[in-house]
Every structure is written in structure tokens, then in C-alpha cells.
Amino acid sequence: MTTLLVEFRGWVIIEQMPNAHPFQTHPFQTDDPRLIPIKDKVLAGERLTEADALVLYGTGDILAVGWLANWVRERMHGDKAYFNVNRHINPTNVCVAACRLCAFGRKKDTPGAYTMALEEAFQTAASGYTEAVTEFHIVGGLHPDLPFQYFLDLVSGLKERFPQVHMKAFTMVEVAYLAKRSKLTIRETLVKMKEAGVDSLPGGGAEIFSDRVRHIICDHKIDGDQWLDTARLAHQIGLKSNATMLYGHIEDDEDRVDHLLKLRALQDETGGFQTFIPLAFHPANTPLQHLFTTTGMDDIKQIAVSRLVLDNFPHIKSYWQMMTPKIAQISLRFGADDIDGTVVEEKIYHDAGATTPQGLRRHDLVRLIQEAGREPIERDTLYRPVTRTETSFTVSV
Ligand code: SF4
């Protein structure tokens, strides 16, 4: 045990606490006394409440929140920081939904609208960096005419050409839309996708579950409950998924907490989520472009609060495309254990004004992680270690 003196506005708070985690170099300290009982819960492995989460969002003591998130992160993963070598494929940007949050979707036959022929998608998959990718990340718009069979053929064709590559494909929103268009249940749709070669789902389209916010930013999408129901069904048929949250637009702290608690409850039920990915909103070229972009403080705090509240999620990702490589790197000391992958060609956030590169090389990711004092671990989509040569890789199972 360590005796810790915490000074707060003239008061001295004496704290008895376990020694800091072996990786951490200094004890917990704070100038916000509301964080003391939360610290006690975190160190005891107790679950945080809605009220605790609101305190974490509300405090200005980012270093104390970061200390706690880092403590949890190091208890779960030590010094390991994960990345992967992946490629994004966006087969179409044609979309019926017209979400206000979006700069990617286009109406059919309008300037900039595109849909890849299957052969073009296969060529895209093979292009880009020479490093062998372990994952295709496939998401796109809600096309009014493309048949479900196009998407099944896309996945099975990729699987045939790249049998070793994991197919992380289709948001819950795309799954629900394709189910509706093909007059199948969500479960039947997911089963057909799995049979075609889908290995897991990326977890996009969750945005913010709050109806109030959803009506404004994405009123044509499935609602929060439908997103959660689709994820539940995916997990029930053996497909793992990630989960996302779009923040930094018109939501408030209560909306963020509500979103996290709903995800935590579903994870208790299914255990099917692998990674939580908070996505910073990029307003440029959207109908919400009058809004500010997120700040570094908000981004870092979002990562830390996510790590502390989502106690049943194995991984918290600081997605470098959305956060910038610099914030993603710092996040590795504030709760994140993953910074995503090489990506190669990101379209969705670059249409919304992202100034990050469209892709990073493997050695760039390794350097970011090493300079954060962490141990880079190349993973596959299921977080199994990858060993590679220049043009091939082996997954440890
Ligand atoms: S966010 Fe997705 S569903 Fe909404 S308009 Fe953009 S591509 Fe379509």
C-alpha cells in the first residue's frame, strides 16, 4: 500500500491505495475529489455507474482520468499496442439515406457517385501497398438498385482470390438495408453473408443511439435498438463485431453515456464485441459543417472514458484516421491499446475533410507505437499475433 496525499483547494486528502501498476511510474493524484471514489472502484475492479461516467466526462482533470484508463489498459494488455495491415474497400458511395453527418454518400447519377463493378473491386483489393494484408474492411452506401447477390458475389469473389484475408464487412445499417431489400430476415441475411465469406462485422453506423440526436444527424438510418438487435443476431450466429460511436457533433454527455451503457449491456449478453472505436465527427462537406471539429482534449478523454466504462470490451481503438496519428499515439497512454491499420485508401472521412494521409505504411505504425513506449504487436482481425516476411504472413492460432 502507498499513502498518498492529495491536496485540493487547501484540503489535504490522504489516500491509501494499492501500489501503481508495475508499468506505471507515479501514483494516482487528482485535484477533483469526485474522482476519488471512482478511482477506488476502478482499482477494486468494480463496475462504474452512469453517474460515474458523467463525472468522468465532466471533470477537467484529464490526467487523473487518463491515469485510471491507463491502469486498466495495462492490467489488460501490459505494454502491448495492436495494429494490423489492412485495406479498405468501399464498393459504392451511392446511398439512399442522405444522413446529415455524411460527406461520402451520393445520390445515384449525381456528380461523384460511383459503383465498382465486381472485377474493379477485385483489382482494387489487389492494389496498393505490397505488404500482404490480413484484412479487408468493406463498407459502403445503401444502393437502391444493387442486388444482395452483388454483395455476396463481392465477398465470395474476394475470398476465392485472397483466401487468407479476413473479410470484415458491412455495417449493421447495410445488413438491415440489404435484408429489407431482399425480403429476408436479418438473421437470414447474416447467415447468407457468413456463408459467402464474411468473417466479422466492422461495427459502423451506430453513430449515437439517442433518438433525439439520431433524428437530426441520420434520420433515415435504422434506430439504435435496431442496430443493437442486428449486432445481437450477428453475435448469435458466431460473427464477432466491433462497435463504434460518432461523437463531437450535437450529442451531449448524457447521450454518450447512454450509448456506452447500451453497448456494455449487450456485451454482457453476447460477448461478441471485440473492439470499441470512438469516431471523432468530421463536419467538412456535410450539412453540419457549421459545427466545430473535436479537440485533442475531447478525443483523449473519449478514449479514456470508453476504457473505464466498457469494462467488458477487450479492446479500445484510437483510430488514427479520425484522431490523427499524433492523438492516436498519445491515446496509447490514455486507455487505447489499438490504433487500427494501414488502411491504404480511406474515402469516407477524407470526403469529410480529414487531413490525415489515406494510408500509413506498416513501419509508420510501428514507429508511432514504439515512440509511445509501447510494444507493437501486429494482429489479425481476431487479435492473433501475425508474423510476416516482405510478402507473406503467418497467423499464430
Ligand atoms: S452515413 Fe452511410 S447511410 Fe448515411 S448517407 Fe452516408 S453512406 Fe449513406
Side-chain angles (χ1 to χ4, degrees):
M1 295 288 268
T2 301
T3 301
L4 174 65
L5 301 183
V6 178
E7 289 196 28
F8 176 67
R9 292 180 187 153
W11 294 86
V12 176
I13 304 166
I14 301 174
E15 281 293 308
Q16 292 287 334
M17 58 177 292
N19 288 327
H21 191 282
F23 288 102
Q24 290 193 293
T25 52
H26 63 82
F28 178 79
Q29 46 193 307
T30 183
D31 60 5
D32 185 342
R34 297 174 303 164
L35 295 179
I36 301 290
I38 294 178
K39 178 263 296 176
D40 291 339
K41 282 189 184 176
V42 170
L43 297 188
E46 286 176 30
R47 175 159 276 193
L48 299 185
T49 64
E50 180 182 359
D52 296 331
L54 287 169
V55 168
L56 292 171
Y57 275 125
T59 184
D61 194 349
I62 183 72
L63 293 179
V65 177
W67 190 99
L68 292 171
N70 193 49
W71 192 88
V72 173
R73 177 245 192 270
E74 290 186 351
R75 191 189 63 204
M76 296 174 82
H77 303 290
D79 248 347
K80 293 185 171 68
Y82 299 96
F83 70 98
N84 71 348
V85 176
N86 62 349
R87 198 198 201 293
H88 284 207
I89 302 170
N90 306 120
T92 181
N93 66 351
V94 172
C95 189
V96 294
C99 303
R100 287 192 188 86
L101 61 83
C102 182
F104 172 71
R106 300 278 191 285
K107 292 291 171 219
K108 204 172 83 165
D109 301 326
T110 58
Y114 75 86
T115 299
M116 292 180 184
L118 286 176
E119 210 43 58
E120 190 185 349
F122 301 147
Q123 281 169 17
T124 299
S127 67
Y129 300 156
T130 54
E131 292 156 331
V133 300
T134 61
E135 170 191 282
F136 290 136
H137 170 107
I138 307 165
V139 297
L142 310 179
H143 197 295
D145 303 327
L146 277 181
F148 185 30
Q149 194 60 44
Y150 166 92
F151 296 94
L152 298 178
D153 291 346
L154 172 66
V155 171
S156 59
L158 286 169
K159 204 71 177 174
E160 198 181 319
R161 289 162 178 79
F162 307 93
Q164 77 283 21
V165 177
H166 182 107
M167 301 288 154
K168 187 176 67 158
F170 310 128
T171 65
M172 308 308 168
V173 177
E174 290 172 275
V175 173
Y177 180 70
L178 289 169
K180 192 168 142 198
R181 285 205 54 234
S182 52
K183 299 189 171 39
L184 296 170
T185 65
I186 302 272
R187 179 185 286 271
E188 288 165 346
T189 306
L190 286 163
V191 167
K192 283 186 181 294
M193 287 175 165
K194 190 177 177 196
E195 286 169 354
V198 169
D199 296 305
S200 72
L201 284 81
E207 321 306 1
I208 279 277
F209 293 144
S210 152
D211 283 341
R212 177 185 61 81
V213 178
R214 231 174 159 80
H215 279 315
I216 297 169
I217 65 169
C218 58
D219 56 345
H220 296 104
K221 267 186 182 161
I222 55 173
D223 65 22
D225 286 343
Q226 289 170 312
W227 190 99
L228 290 161
D229 287 343
T230 306
R232 179 182 290 106
L233 285 164
H235 299 169
Q236 284 173 356
I237 67 161
L239 289 170
K240 293 276 187 190
S241 81
N242 294 334
T244 57
M245 177 176 82
L246 188 75
Y247 69 94
H249 39 87
I250 58 163
E251 88 289 2
D252 58 24
D253 289 350
E254 280 79 6
D255 297 322
R256 294 187 191 189
V257 171
D258 170 72
H259 191 96
L260 294 177
L261 295 185
K262 282 180 173 153
L263 288 175
R264 189 171 77 179
L266 182 55
Q267 178 74 334
D268 278 345
E269 189 185 322
T270 68
F273 290 119
Q274 295 203 112
T275 308
F276 177 65
I277 314 159
L279 300 173
F281 179 54
H282 285 246
N285 306 322
T286 77
L288 299 173
Q289 61 186 346
H290 56 285
L291 297 178
F292 291 115
T293 54
T294 60
T295 62
M297 186 82 165
D298 198 11
D299 294 337
I300 296 271
K301 187 183 277 186
Q302 184 53 56
I303 290 288
V305 176
S306 305
R307 180 61 287 165
L308 290 166
V309 174
L310 296 177
D311 52 17
N312 52 4
F313 271 63
H315 302 283
I316 302 292
K317 181 186 291 183
S318 187
Y319 180 28
W320 67 264
Q321 286 274 7
M322 302 291 274
M323 299 278 192
T324 74
K326 291 179 181 182
I327 293 286
Q329 181 188 41
I330 294 168
S331 302
L332 293 173
R333 295 261 158 203
F334 283 78
D337 61 277
D338 191 316
I339 59 171
D340 200 70
T342 48
V343 179
V344 182
E345 189 184 11
E346 202 291 318
K347 290 182 193 293
I348 294 175
Y349 307 117
H350 285 81
D351 283 350
T355 55
T356 48
Q358 284 201 297
L360 283 180
R361 300 299 298 259
R362 185 180 182 281
H363 60 74
D364 297 321
L365 296 168
V366 167
R367 177 169 162 257
L368 281 172
I369 292 170
Q370 283 175 335
E371 289 197 0
R374 297 299 195 196
E375 179 193 356
I377 304 288
E378 184 181 339
R379 60 165 178 86
D380 73 349
T381 311
L382 302 175
Y383 285 83
R384 297 172 301 192
V386 171
T387 314
R388 70 168 55 240
T389 64
E390 192 61 31
T391 53
S392 67
F393 63 83
T394 313
V395 176
S396 307
V397 291

